[in-house]
């Protein structure tokens, strides 16, 4: 996964591998969420409204227009969000800033978690309204398949967006687990000095008494010819 230490900032600028990108669980879940959201809002828009012998259309979910509007809204927003985050996943390896990577991961984590909750609410809302719909009030034969498809793929969307939330949380945890290696932390530490301090000209200072000249020892070989030892008084 690209969310190694420091949110993978050390890998920034690496070549984009399309095959590896497609095989990532996050990419697979993103594509599935994109398809499921499209099925939900397309089913409601195309066949989610029926007429009762007049020009006025009624929502197939118990004539509750809020149910249809809710399903269409979260479906379209989820569709666009999948496209946005898919493009962000492609661009993510090129981001070198740790702060920008952290913001991207946080945005993905918060949005995925929030949209998982909205899909859960939508599934419960549509299923409740559909169970309350009577065939005596609406000609359900016209839109029953579309209503069931919207409900089923709303449930599938809960699973895919929950999986995306888990992937985002894992990426965030892996990124924060190696924060000791970020540039900010290294800059905040004081430099250690394992060696003696240097002087102005960049040379190591040596104590004055560190070296001593050897004592002068006179030997027979070192005496000049004709040298006599002076008498001691």
């Amino acid at each position: 996964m690209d969310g190694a230490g420091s949110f993978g900032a050390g890998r920034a600028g690496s070549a984009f591998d399309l095959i590896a990108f497609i095989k990532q669980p996050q990419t697979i879940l993103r594509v599935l969420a994109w398809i499921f959201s499209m099925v939900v809002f397309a089913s409601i828009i195309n066949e989610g409204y029926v007429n009762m012998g007049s020009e006025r259309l009624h929502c197939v979910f118990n004539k509750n227009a809020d149910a249809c509007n809710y399903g269409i809204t979260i479906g379209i927003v989820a569709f666009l969000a999948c496209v946005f985050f898919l493009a962000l996943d492609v661009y993510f390896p090129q981001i070198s800033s740790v702060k920008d990577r952290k913001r991207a991961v946080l945005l993905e984590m918060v949005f995925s978690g929030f949209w998982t909750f909205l899909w859960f609410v939508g599934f419960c809302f549509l299923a409740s309204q559909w169970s309350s719909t009577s065939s005596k009030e609406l000609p359900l034969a016209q839109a029953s398949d579309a209503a069931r498809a919207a409900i089923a793929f709303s449930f599938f969307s809960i699973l895919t967006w929950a999986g995306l939330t888990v992937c985002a949380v894992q990426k965030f945890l892996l990124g924060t687990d190696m924060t000791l290696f970020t540039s900010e932390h290294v800059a905040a530490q004081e430099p250690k000095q394992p060696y003696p301090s240097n002087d102005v000209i960049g040379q190591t200072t040596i104590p004055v008494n560190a070296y001593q000249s050897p004592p002068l020892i006179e030997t027979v070989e070192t005496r000049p010819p004709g040298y006599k030892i002076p008498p001691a008084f």
Side-chain angles (χ1 to χ4, degrees):
M1 185 177 292
D2 191 31
S6 300
F7 303 95
R11 304 178 185 176
S14 58
F16 178 72
D17 190 350
L18 180 60
I19 303 300
F21 177 75
I22 295 176
K23 292 181 179 180
Q24 288 180 354
Q26 181 176 342
T27 305
I28 297 174
L29 289 173
R30 191 90 66 197
V31 174
L32 290 177
W34 179 73
I35 296 174
F36 295 163
S37 62
M38 181 171 54
V39 172
V40 172
F41 77 79
S43 298
I44 298 176
I45 291 176
N46 293 332
E47 299 181 6
Y49 294 89
V50 296
N51 54 31
M52 300 287 294
S54 62
E55 295 181 356
R56 184 179 180 182
L57 297 178
H58 299 276
C59 178
V60 70
F61 294 99
N62 198 28
K63 293 184 179 180
N64 190 344
D66 293 335
C68 288
N69 293 334
Y70 185 89
I72 293 173
T73 302
I74 62 173
I76 292 178
V77 175
F79 177 86
L80 298 176
C82 287
V83 176
F84 170 77
F85 283 111
L86 193 62
L88 182 61
D89 291 340
V90 175
Y91 180 70
F92 190 82
Q94 307 302 322
I95 303 176
S96 59
S97 174
V98 177
K99 291 183 178 180
D100 293 341
R101 282 176 171 252
K102 185 177 181 180
R103 293 191 187 100
V105 174
L106 283 175
L107 176 63
E108 179 184 357
M109 183 174 61
V110 173
F111 185 89
S112 298
F114 181 61
W115 229 250
T116 302
F117 171 75
L118 291 184
W119 275 121
F120 175 76
V121 173
F123 168 75
C124 296
F125 188 23
L126 295 179
S128 175
Q129 293 300 312
W130 177 248
S131 62
S132 302
T133 304
S134 174
S135 58
K136 297 179 180 180
E137 298 179 358
L138 293 174
L140 300 182
Q142 298 181 11
S144 58
D145 293 339
R148 294 189 182 96
I151 295 173
F153 282 93
S154 294
F155 176 77
F156 296 152
S157 295
I158 298 174
L159 302 180
T160 54
W161 282 92
L164 289 171
T165 304
V166 173
C167 291
V169 171
Q170 290 178 346
K171 184 186 294 186
F172 179 79
L173 294 178
L174 288 173
T176 56
D177 187 47
M178 299 291 288
T179 52
L180 293 177
F181 296 95
T182 60
S183 58
E184 295 178 356
H185 182 83
V186 174
Q189 291 182 344
E190 296 182 357
K192 298 181 180 179
Q193 296 182 354
Y195 302 102
S197 59
N198 296 336
D199 56 9
V200 178
I201 62 176
Q203 297 180 351
T204 303
T205 303
I206 301 175
V208 177
N209 297 328
Y211 299 97
Q212 294 181 357
S213 60
L216 179 62
I217 300 176
E218 294 185 353
T219 60
V220 178
E221 291 77 7
T222 59
R223 297 174 186 174
Y227 176 80
K228 295 181 180 181
I229 301 175
F233 295 98

